Amino acid sequence: MKVNMKQFFREIPASPLRRAIPIMTSPGIELTALKPPDVFQNGELQFRCIKALSEAVQADAPVTFMDLSVEAEAFGAPVCYSETENPTVSGSIASTAEEIAALAVPHPGDKRTAELLRCAELCAGHFTDRPVFGGMIGPFSLAGRLADMTEIMILAAMEPETAHALLRKTTAFLTEYAKAMKATGVNGLLIAEPAAGLLSPEMCREFAADYLKGIIGAVQDENFMIILHNCGNAADRQIDAMLSTGAAALHLGNAVDLPALFPQIPQEILLMGNLDPVGILKLGTPESVYEETMRLLNATEPWRNYVLSTGCDVPPGVRMENIRAFFRAKDDYNKARV
């Protein structure tokens, strides 16, 4: 569905009613009784999971699977699959200047990126009543998976030019991948840059935000909007760097005090988050999920540019009763304001 996303984003602060756009796909695996290793390697199965979840609860915009191993695998990194967890990168392939120089930049559609693009295309064709967001990793977090997180942090601090050499390659690929995602017909992209939360504000701008700015500038327009996700502990000190990327919305994790950050956010930029997906959604009861969701909605009431969401990707094993409680709290909050 072609949507004027700039208008969609403008309508949110104009209304006292809250929208809910959680990062939530894994519960769809359980609804379909599919096996996670099969789902993460098949875009049509991913679409079936997202469709099943959307029939159980209705988010204001579905988000495709947030599998942060896909892009590293396209570069050649080894990946492990699990029956109970998301796939993970199991070894570094670009931790030295020599390895980075030899690293070939893949193309969108290589390896499992073809499946993610297929899922995005199917979602764009199916959800004609609301926007759909694709998902991909950010350049610094991808560099951390290729080099190992400890190594990329050391390179950024001690050998910055080597780190930049790797970041130029991850950014080159992700720019083209973002264009390919846009071509599927989805209405926007959630870029997950969690590793940037480990950096100081200055380093965040140099090693993450400046590269993200180039990616976002290449694809964002009135019909395609970017949500930038950072779930790091230091995200509250990185707001200026995140805003410098030009992203239309910022999505933060549960490690930060979200209501306290609104004074730093321009009214035209959406701020999203940040219900704890593990401590509350997975480990809580329907009653506690409802209460915590309502608490977050009430705490953010003064700011119209807020969108209810999870702090990060909802893990496997979350009960549907808890997910329904999340949406029920949003619906009850809105009913009180009609």
Side-chain angles (χ1 to χ4, degrees):
M1 177 179 67
K2 189 168 184 177
V3 177
N4 186 315
M5 290 299 290
K6 186 172 287 187
Q7 182 62 29
F8 176 81
F9 273 43
R10 284 174 179 166
E11 288 172 356
I12 291 174
S15 171
L17 306 183
R18 292 305 193 198
R19 298 184 188 242
I21 306 178
I23 307 177
M24 184 183 295
T25 49
S26 288
I29 299 177
E30 294 164 30
L31 286 173
T32 56
L34 294 166
K35 295 182 178 180
D38 295 336
V39 171
F40 285 107
Q41 297 179 77
N42 187 302
E44 187 165 348
L45 295 184
Q46 291 175 26
F47 165 69
R48 284 171 55 185
C49 294
I50 295 168
K51 180 174 178 288
L53 184 60
S54 74
E55 292 168 352
V57 292
Q58 184 154 334
D60 288 285
V63 180
T64 62
F65 272 73
M66 189 57 63
D67 177 355
L68 303 186
S69 70
V70 168
E71 298 88 348
E73 187 182 55
F75 273 90
V79 171
C80 288
Y81 296 91
S82 166
E83 293 288 344
T84 58
E85 303 291 340
N86 289 357
T88 56
V89 175
S90 59
S92 66
I93 60 170
S95 59
T96 67
E98 294 74 23
E99 289 174 338
I100 292 168
L103 190 66
V105 177
H107 301 282
D110 286 354
K111 298 189 177 178
R112 281 188 300 134
T113 63
E115 300 303 324
L116 272 290
L117 292 169
R118 176 62 176 152
C119 174
E121 182 180 36
L122 289 169
C123 287
H126 177 77
F127 294 102
T128 58
D129 60 335
R130 48 196 151 142
V132 179
F133 286 89
M136 76 175 197
I137 199 170
F140 185 76
S141 297
L142 176 53
R145 280 158 176 76
L146 297 174
D148 177 81
M149 274 313 307
T150 299
E151 288 301 319
I152 194 61
M153 294 297 291
I154 292 172
L155 289 175
M158 307 299 293
E159 300 179 42
E161 190 46 51
T162 302
H164 283 301
L166 180 55
L167 285 163
R168 285 191 289 270
K169 292 193 173 186
T170 60
T171 301
F173 169 68
L174 292 174
T175 301
E176 296 307 310
Y177 189 38
K179 292 177 182 177
M181 276 285 181
K182 184 176 182 178
T184 67
V186 296
N187 308 101
L189 190 60
L190 190 151
I191 302 178
E193 190 65 298
L198 301 172
L199 297 167
S200 68
E202 296 76 17
M203 292 180 74
C204 180
R205 187 180 290 265
E206 178 181 355
F207 293 101
D210 287 351
Y211 289 98
L212 285 162
K213 184 176 181 179
I215 297 170
I216 292 168
V219 293
Q220 185 167 260
D221 58 31
E222 66 178 15
N223 297 316
F224 192 84
M225 290 288 169
I226 303 297
I227 301 170
L228 177 58
H229 168 74
N230 181 335
C231 57
N233 294 339
D236 56 344
R237 301 192 299 275
Q238 298 173 339
I239 296 299
D240 286 345
M242 295 176 71
L243 290 172
S244 75
T245 66
L250 304 185
H251 189 289
L252 301 182
N254 52 279
V256 300
D257 180 3
L258 198 72
L261 299 180
F262 275 93
Q264 301 181 55
I265 309 297
Q267 182 66 27
E268 67 273 13
I269 303 296
L270 303 183
L271 187 58
M272 306 171 68
N274 68 340
L275 194 75
D276 186 344
V278 177
I280 295 174
L281 269 173
K282 184 171 184 175
L283 301 180
T285 63
E287 294 76 18
S288 65
V289 170
Y290 181 95
E291 291 171 2
E292 288 299 319
T293 305
M294 190 63 76
R295 182 195 61 77
L296 181 58
L297 286 165
N298 288 328
T300 54
E301 185 168 15
W303 295 280
R304 292 283 186 90
N305 56 329
Y306 172 64
V307 176
L308 176 65
S309 187
T310 51
C312 200
D313 193 9
V314 172
V318 176
R319 293 181 295 167
M320 279 306 302
E321 293 90 341
N322 287 5
I323 293 171
R324 290 190 178 96
F326 170 87
F327 283 97
R328 190 171 67 253
K330 185 267 294 186
D331 290 342
D332 287 351
Y333 177 92
N334 285 344
K335 286 176 186 175
R337 285 153 183 82
V338 174

Short mmCIF file of all heavy atoms in Angstrom, two decimals, residues 17-66:
data_model
loop_
_atom_site.label_atom_id
_atom_site.label_comp_id
_atom_site.label_asym_id
_atom_site.label_seq_id
_atom_site.Cartn_x
_atom_site.Cartn_y
_atom_site.Cartn_z
N LEU A 17 -4.96 9.99 21.03
CA LEU A 17 -5.00 8.54 21.05
C LEU A 17 -3.61 7.97 20.72
O LEU A 17 -2.87 8.52 19.91
CB LEU A 17 -6.02 8.02 20.04
CG LEU A 17 -7.44 8.57 20.18
CD1 LEU A 17 -8.36 7.91 19.17
CD2 LEU A 17 -7.96 8.38 21.60
N ARG A 18 -3.30 6.86 21.37
CA ARG A 18 -1.99 6.23 21.19
C ARG A 18 -2.05 5.14 20.13
O ARG A 18 -3.01 4.38 20.04
CB ARG A 18 -1.50 5.62 22.50
CG ARG A 18 -1.17 6.63 23.57
CD ARG A 18 -0.18 7.67 23.11
NE ARG A 18 0.37 8.45 24.24
CZ ARG A 18 0.97 9.60 24.12
NH1 ARG A 18 1.11 10.15 22.93
NH2 ARG A 18 1.45 10.23 25.18
N ARG A 19 -0.99 5.06 19.36
CA ARG A 19 -0.78 3.94 18.44
C ARG A 19 0.23 2.99 19.07
O ARG A 19 1.07 3.41 19.87
CB ARG A 19 -0.30 4.43 17.08
CG ARG A 19 -1.31 5.34 16.39
CD ARG A 19 -0.84 5.73 15.01
NE ARG A 19 -1.69 6.74 14.41
CZ ARG A 19 -2.38 6.56 13.28
NH1 ARG A 19 -2.34 5.39 12.66
NH2 ARG A 19 -3.11 7.55 12.78
N ALA A 20 0.14 1.73 18.66
CA ALA A 20 1.06 0.72 19.17
C ALA A 20 1.77 0.05 18.00
O ALA A 20 1.12 -0.52 17.11
CB ALA A 20 0.31 -0.33 19.99
N ILE A 21 3.11 0.14 18.01
CA ILE A 21 3.93 -0.50 16.98
C ILE A 21 5.05 -1.25 17.69
O ILE A 21 6.20 -0.79 17.77
CB ILE A 21 4.49 0.52 15.97
CG1 ILE A 21 3.37 1.37 15.37
CG2 ILE A 21 5.27 -0.19 14.86
CD1 ILE A 21 3.84 2.45 14.41
N PRO A 22 4.74 -2.40 18.29
CA PRO A 22 5.79 -3.16 18.97
C PRO A 22 6.68 -3.90 17.98
O PRO A 22 6.27 -4.18 16.84
CB PRO A 22 4.98 -4.16 19.82
CG PRO A 22 3.72 -4.36 19.04
CD PRO A 22 3.43 -3.04 18.38
N ILE A 23 7.91 -4.20 18.41
CA ILE A 23 8.78 -5.08 17.63
C ILE A 23 8.44 -6.49 18.08
O ILE A 23 8.93 -6.97 19.11
CB ILE A 23 10.27 -4.76 17.86
CG1 ILE A 23 10.54 -3.27 17.63
CG2 ILE A 23 11.15 -5.58 16.93
CD1 ILE A 23 11.98 -2.85 17.91
N MET A 24 7.60 -7.15 17.31
CA MET A 24 6.99 -8.38 17.82
C MET A 24 6.67 -9.31 16.65
O MET A 24 5.73 -9.06 15.89
CB MET A 24 5.70 -8.02 18.58
CG MET A 24 5.01 -9.19 19.23
SD MET A 24 3.45 -8.67 20.03
CE MET A 24 4.03 -7.59 21.33
N THR A 25 7.49 -10.35 16.47
CA THR A 25 7.23 -11.33 15.43
C THR A 25 7.32 -12.77 15.95
O THR A 25 6.58 -13.64 15.50
CB THR A 25 8.23 -11.18 14.26
OG1 THR A 25 9.56 -11.12 14.79
CG2 THR A 25 7.95 -9.92 13.46
N SER A 26 8.23 -13.04 16.91
CA SER A 26 8.44 -14.40 17.39
C SER A 26 7.17 -15.08 17.90
O SER A 26 7.01 -16.30 17.70
CB SER A 26 9.51 -14.42 18.48
OG SER A 26 10.79 -14.19 17.93
N PRO A 27 6.23 -14.37 18.55
CA PRO A 27 5.00 -15.05 18.97
C PRO A 27 4.23 -15.69 17.82
O PRO A 27 3.49 -16.64 18.02
CB PRO A 27 4.20 -13.94 19.65
CG PRO A 27 5.24 -13.00 20.16
CD PRO A 27 6.30 -13.00 19.11
N GLY A 28 4.42 -15.15 16.61
CA GLY A 28 3.77 -15.74 15.45
C GLY A 28 4.30 -17.12 15.12
O GLY A 28 3.59 -17.94 14.51
N ILE A 29 5.55 -17.40 15.50
CA ILE A 29 6.10 -18.75 15.28
C ILE A 29 5.31 -19.76 16.09
O ILE A 29 4.96 -20.84 15.59
CB ILE A 29 7.59 -18.79 15.65
CG1 ILE A 29 8.40 -17.82 14.78
CG2 ILE A 29 8.14 -20.20 15.52
CD1 ILE A 29 9.88 -17.75 15.14
N GLU A 30 5.03 -19.42 17.33
CA GLU A 30 4.28 -20.35 18.19
C GLU A 30 2.84 -20.48 17.74
O GLU A 30 2.26 -21.58 17.83
CB GLU A 30 4.39 -19.86 19.63
CG GLU A 30 5.82 -19.94 20.16
CD GLU A 30 6.04 -19.13 21.42
OE1 GLU A 30 5.08 -18.98 22.19
OE2 GLU A 30 7.17 -18.68 21.63
N LEU A 31 2.25 -19.40 17.22
CA LEU A 31 0.87 -19.48 16.75
C LEU A 31 0.74 -20.42 15.55
O LEU A 31 -0.30 -21.07 15.36
CB LEU A 31 0.36 -18.09 16.37
CG LEU A 31 0.03 -17.14 17.52
CD1 LEU A 31 -0.30 -15.76 16.97
CD2 LEU A 31 -1.13 -17.66 18.34
N THR A 32 1.78 -20.48 14.73
CA THR A 32 1.74 -21.33 13.54
C THR A 32 2.32 -22.71 13.78
O THR A 32 2.27 -23.56 12.88
CB THR A 32 2.51 -20.66 12.40
OG1 THR A 32 3.85 -20.38 12.84
CG2 THR A 32 1.85 -19.37 11.95
N ALA A 33 2.90 -22.94 14.96
CA ALA A 33 3.54 -24.22 15.31
C ALA A 33 4.67 -24.59 14.35
O ALA A 33 4.97 -25.76 14.14
CB ALA A 33 2.50 -25.34 15.37
N LEU A 34 5.30 -23.57 13.79
CA LEU A 34 6.46 -23.81 12.92
C LEU A 34 7.73 -23.88 13.76
O LEU A 34 7.77 -23.44 14.91
CB LEU A 34 6.58 -22.68 11.89
CG LEU A 34 5.44 -22.61 10.85
CD1 LEU A 34 5.48 -21.28 10.11
CD2 LEU A 34 5.53 -23.77 9.87
N LYS A 35 8.78 -24.43 13.17
CA LYS A 35 10.06 -24.52 13.86
C LYS A 35 10.91 -23.28 13.56
O LYS A 35 11.07 -22.91 12.40
CB LYS A 35 10.80 -25.79 13.42
CG LYS A 35 10.11 -27.08 13.83
CD LYS A 35 10.92 -28.28 13.40
CE LYS A 35 10.23 -29.58 13.85
NZ LYS A 35 11.02 -30.77 13.44
N PRO A 36 11.46 -22.65 14.62
CA PRO A 36 12.24 -21.43 14.41
C PRO A 36 13.34 -21.55 13.34
O PRO A 36 13.46 -20.64 12.49
CB PRO A 36 12.81 -21.13 15.80
CG PRO A 36 11.79 -21.69 16.73
CD PRO A 36 11.28 -22.93 16.06
N PRO A 37 14.16 -22.61 13.31
CA PRO A 37 15.18 -22.66 12.27
C PRO A 37 14.60 -22.63 10.85
O PRO A 37 15.21 -22.05 9.95
CB PRO A 37 15.89 -23.99 12.54
CG PRO A 37 15.67 -24.25 13.99
CD PRO A 37 14.28 -23.74 14.25
N ASP A 38 13.42 -23.22 10.68
CA ASP A 38 12.77 -23.17 9.37
C ASP A 38 12.28 -21.77 9.05
O ASP A 38 12.45 -21.28 7.93
CB ASP A 38 11.59 -24.14 9.34
CG ASP A 38 12.00 -25.59 9.48
OD1 ASP A 38 13.17 -25.91 9.15
OD2 ASP A 38 11.18 -26.40 9.93
N VAL A 39 11.69 -21.12 10.05
CA VAL A 39 11.15 -19.79 9.84
C VAL A 39 12.24 -18.80 9.47
O VAL A 39 12.10 -18.00 8.52
CB VAL A 39 10.39 -19.31 11.10
CG1 VAL A 39 10.01 -17.83 10.97
CG2 VAL A 39 9.15 -20.16 11.33
N PHE A 40 13.36 -18.84 10.20
CA PHE A 40 14.41 -17.85 9.96
C PHE A 40 15.14 -18.05 8.64
O PHE A 40 15.94 -17.20 8.25
CB PHE A 40 15.39 -17.86 11.13
CG PHE A 40 14.85 -17.19 12.36
CD1 PHE A 40 14.46 -17.92 13.47
CD2 PHE A 40 14.69 -15.81 12.39
CE1 PHE A 40 13.95 -17.30 14.60
CE2 PHE A 40 14.17 -15.17 13.51
CZ PHE A 40 13.80 -15.92 14.61
N GLN A 41 14.85 -19.14 7.96
CA GLN A 41 15.48 -19.38 6.66
C GLN A 41 14.49 -19.35 5.50
O GLN A 41 14.85 -19.66 4.38
CB GLN A 41 16.19 -20.75 6.68
CG GLN A 41 17.32 -20.80 7.70
CD GLN A 41 18.01 -22.14 7.73
OE1 GLN A 41 18.82 -22.47 6.87
NE2 GLN A 41 17.71 -22.95 8.74
N ASN A 42 13.25 -18.90 5.78
CA ASN A 42 12.23 -18.94 4.75
C ASN A 42 11.32 -17.71 4.87
O ASN A 42 10.59 -17.56 5.84
CB ASN A 42 11.41 -20.23 4.88
CG ASN A 42 10.43 -20.42 3.74
OD1 ASN A 42 9.57 -19.59 3.50
ND2 ASN A 42 10.56 -21.54 3.03
N GLY A 43 11.37 -16.84 3.89
CA GLY A 43 10.60 -15.61 3.93
C GLY A 43 9.11 -15.82 3.90
O GLY A 43 8.34 -15.07 4.52
N GLU A 44 8.63 -16.85 3.19
CA GLU A 44 7.20 -17.11 3.16
C GLU A 44 6.70 -17.58 4.52
O GLU A 44 5.61 -17.19 4.96
CB GLU A 44 6.88 -18.15 2.09
CG GLU A 44 5.38 -18.33 1.90
CD GLU A 44 5.02 -19.08 0.63
OE1 GLU A 44 5.91 -19.26 -0.22
OE2 GLU A 44 3.85 -19.47 0.50
N LEU A 45 7.50 -18.39 5.22
CA LEU A 45 7.11 -18.81 6.57
C LEU A 45 7.10 -17.62 7.52
O LEU A 45 6.24 -17.52 8.41
CB LEU A 45 8.04 -19.90 7.08
CG LEU A 45 8.03 -21.24 6.34
CD1 LEU A 45 8.96 -22.24 7.04
CD2 LEU A 45 6.63 -21.79 6.22
N GLN A 46 8.04 -16.70 7.36
CA GLN A 46 8.05 -15.50 8.19
C GLN A 46 6.77 -14.70 7.98
O GLN A 46 6.15 -14.23 8.94
CB GLN A 46 9.28 -14.65 7.85
CG GLN A 46 10.58 -15.28 8.28
CD GLN A 46 11.79 -14.49 7.84
OE1 GLN A 46 11.72 -13.28 7.64
NE2 GLN A 46 12.92 -15.16 7.68
N PHE A 47 6.36 -14.57 6.73
CA PHE A 47 5.12 -13.86 6.44
C PHE A 47 3.93 -14.55 7.09
O PHE A 47 3.04 -13.90 7.67
CB PHE A 47 4.90 -13.77 4.93
CG PHE A 47 3.49 -13.40 4.55
CD1 PHE A 47 3.00 -12.13 4.81
CD2 PHE A 47 2.65 -14.33 3.95
CE1 PHE A 47 1.69 -11.79 4.48
CE2 PHE A 47 1.35 -14.00 3.62
CZ PHE A 47 0.86 -12.73 3.89
N ARG A 48 3.89 -15.88 7.05
CA ARG A 48 2.80 -16.62 7.67
C ARG A 48 2.73 -16.35 9.17
O ARG A 48 1.64 -16.22 9.75
CB ARG A 48 2.95 -18.12 7.40
CG ARG A 48 2.56 -18.52 5.99
CD ARG A 48 2.92 -19.97 5.70
NE ARG A 48 2.37 -20.90 6.68
CZ ARG A 48 2.64 -22.21 6.68
NH1 ARG A 48 3.45 -22.72 5.76
NH2 ARG A 48 2.10 -22.99 7.60
N CYS A 49 3.89 -16.23 9.82
CA CYS A 49 3.93 -15.93 11.26
C CYS A 49 3.42 -14.53 11.54
O CYS A 49 2.63 -14.32 12.49
CB CYS A 49 5.36 -16.08 11.79
SG CYS A 49 6.00 -17.76 11.75
N ILE A 50 3.84 -13.56 10.73
CA ILE A 50 3.40 -12.18 10.93
C ILE A 50 1.90 -12.07 10.68
O ILE A 50 1.17 -11.38 11.42
CB ILE A 50 4.20 -11.24 10.01
CG1 ILE A 50 5.68 -11.23 10.42
CG2 ILE A 50 3.63 -9.82 10.04
CD1 ILE A 50 6.60 -10.58 9.40
N LYS A 51 1.41 -12.75 9.67
CA LYS A 51 -0.03 -12.75 9.36
C LYS A 51 -0.83 -13.37 10.51
O LYS A 51 -1.87 -12.84 10.91
CB LYS A 51 -0.27 -13.51 8.06
CG LYS A 51 -1.72 -13.58 7.61
CD LYS A 51 -1.81 -14.23 6.24
CE LYS A 51 -3.26 -14.37 5.78
NZ LYS A 51 -3.97 -15.42 6.54
N ALA A 52 -0.35 -14.50 11.03
CA ALA A 52 -1.06 -15.16 12.14
C ALA A 52 -1.11 -14.26 13.37
O ALA A 52 -2.15 -14.17 14.04
CB ALA A 52 -0.37 -16.48 12.47
N LEU A 53 -0.01 -13.61 13.67
CA LEU A 53 0.01 -12.72 14.83
C LEU A 53 -0.92 -11.53 14.62
O LEU A 53 -1.62 -11.10 15.55
CB LEU A 53 1.44 -12.24 15.10
CG LEU A 53 1.64 -11.38 16.34
CD1 LEU A 53 1.23 -12.15 17.60
CD2 LEU A 53 3.10 -10.93 16.45
N SER A 54 -0.96 -11.01 13.40
CA SER A 54 -1.82 -9.85 13.11
C SER A 54 -3.30 -10.21 13.21
O SER A 54 -4.14 -9.33 13.43
CB SER A 54 -1.52 -9.30 11.71
OG SER A 54 -2.04 -10.14 10.70
N GLU A 55 -3.62 -11.49 13.03
CA GLU A 55 -5.01 -11.93 13.18
C GLU A 55 -5.39 -12.12 14.65
O GLU A 55 -6.57 -12.12 14.99
CB GLU A 55 -5.22 -13.23 12.40
CG GLU A 55 -5.14 -13.02 10.88
CD GLU A 55 -5.06 -14.32 10.10
OE1 GLU A 55 -4.90 -15.40 10.74
OE2 GLU A 55 -5.12 -14.27 8.86
N ALA A 56 -4.38 -12.26 15.50
CA ALA A 56 -4.62 -12.42 16.93
C ALA A 56 -4.67 -11.08 17.65
O ALA A 56 -5.49 -10.88 18.55
CB ALA A 56 -3.55 -13.32 17.55
N VAL A 57 -3.77 -10.19 17.31
CA VAL A 57 -3.70 -8.84 17.88
C VAL A 57 -3.34 -7.88 16.75
O VAL A 57 -2.63 -8.26 15.82
CB VAL A 57 -2.67 -8.73 19.02
CG1 VAL A 57 -3.10 -9.53 20.24
CG2 VAL A 57 -1.28 -9.17 18.56
N GLN A 58 -3.77 -6.64 16.85
CA GLN A 58 -3.56 -5.72 15.74
C GLN A 58 -2.68 -4.55 16.13
O GLN A 58 -3.10 -3.62 16.81
CB GLN A 58 -4.89 -5.21 15.18
CG GLN A 58 -4.69 -4.33 13.95
CD GLN A 58 -5.90 -4.33 13.03
OE1 GLN A 58 -6.67 -5.26 13.01
NE2 GLN A 58 -6.06 -3.26 12.28
N ALA A 59 -1.44 -4.60 15.64
CA ALA A 59 -0.56 -3.46 15.77
C ALA A 59 -0.92 -2.44 14.70
O ALA A 59 -1.50 -2.77 13.67
CB ALA A 59 0.89 -3.89 15.61
N ASP A 60 -0.56 -1.18 14.93
CA ASP A 60 -0.86 -0.14 13.95
C ASP A 60 0.06 -0.21 12.74
O ASP A 60 -0.25 0.39 11.70
CB ASP A 60 -0.77 1.23 14.62
CG ASP A 60 -1.95 1.47 15.54
OD1 ASP A 60 -3.06 1.73 15.04
OD2 ASP A 60 -1.76 1.36 16.77
N ALA A 61 1.15 -0.94 12.86
CA ALA A 61 2.03 -1.17 11.72
C ALA A 61 2.86 -2.42 12.03
O ALA A 61 3.63 -2.42 12.98
CB ALA A 61 2.94 0.02 11.46
N PRO A 62 2.71 -3.49 11.26
CA PRO A 62 3.56 -4.66 11.48
C PRO A 62 5.02 -4.35 11.14
O PRO A 62 5.32 -3.51 10.29
CB PRO A 62 2.99 -5.70 10.50
CG PRO A 62 1.66 -5.18 10.09
CD PRO A 62 1.73 -3.69 10.19
N VAL A 63 5.91 -5.07 11.81
CA VAL A 63 7.35 -4.98 11.54
C VAL A 63 7.83 -6.39 11.19
O VAL A 63 7.46 -7.36 11.85
CB VAL A 63 8.12 -4.45 12.77
CG1 VAL A 63 9.62 -4.36 12.47
CG2 VAL A 63 7.59 -3.09 13.20
N THR A 64 8.63 -6.51 10.14
CA THR A 64 9.13 -7.83 9.74
C THR A 64 10.15 -8.33 10.74
O THR A 64 10.57 -7.62 11.65
CB THR A 64 9.74 -7.79 8.33
OG1 THR A 64 10.86 -6.90 8.33
CG2 THR A 64 8.72 -7.33 7.30
N PHE A 65 10.58 -9.58 10.56
CA PHE A 65 11.47 -10.23 11.52
C PHE A 65 12.77 -9.43 11.71
O PHE A 65 13.41 -9.02 10.74
CB PHE A 65 11.80 -11.65 11.07
CG PHE A 65 10.80 -12.66 11.54
CD1 PHE A 65 9.53 -12.72 10.96
CD2 PHE A 65 11.09 -13.54 12.57
CE1 PHE A 65 8.59 -13.64 11.40
CE2 PHE A 65 10.16 -14.46 13.01
CZ PHE A 65 8.90 -14.52 12.42
N MET A 66 13.14 -9.23 12.98
CA MET A 66 14.37 -8.52 13.33
C MET A 66 15.46 -9.55 13.62
O MET A 66 15.82 -9.82 14.76
CB MET A 66 14.12 -7.61 14.54
CG MET A 66 15.28 -6.67 14.84
SD MET A 66 15.74 -5.61 13.45
CE MET A 66 14.23 -4.66 13.23
#
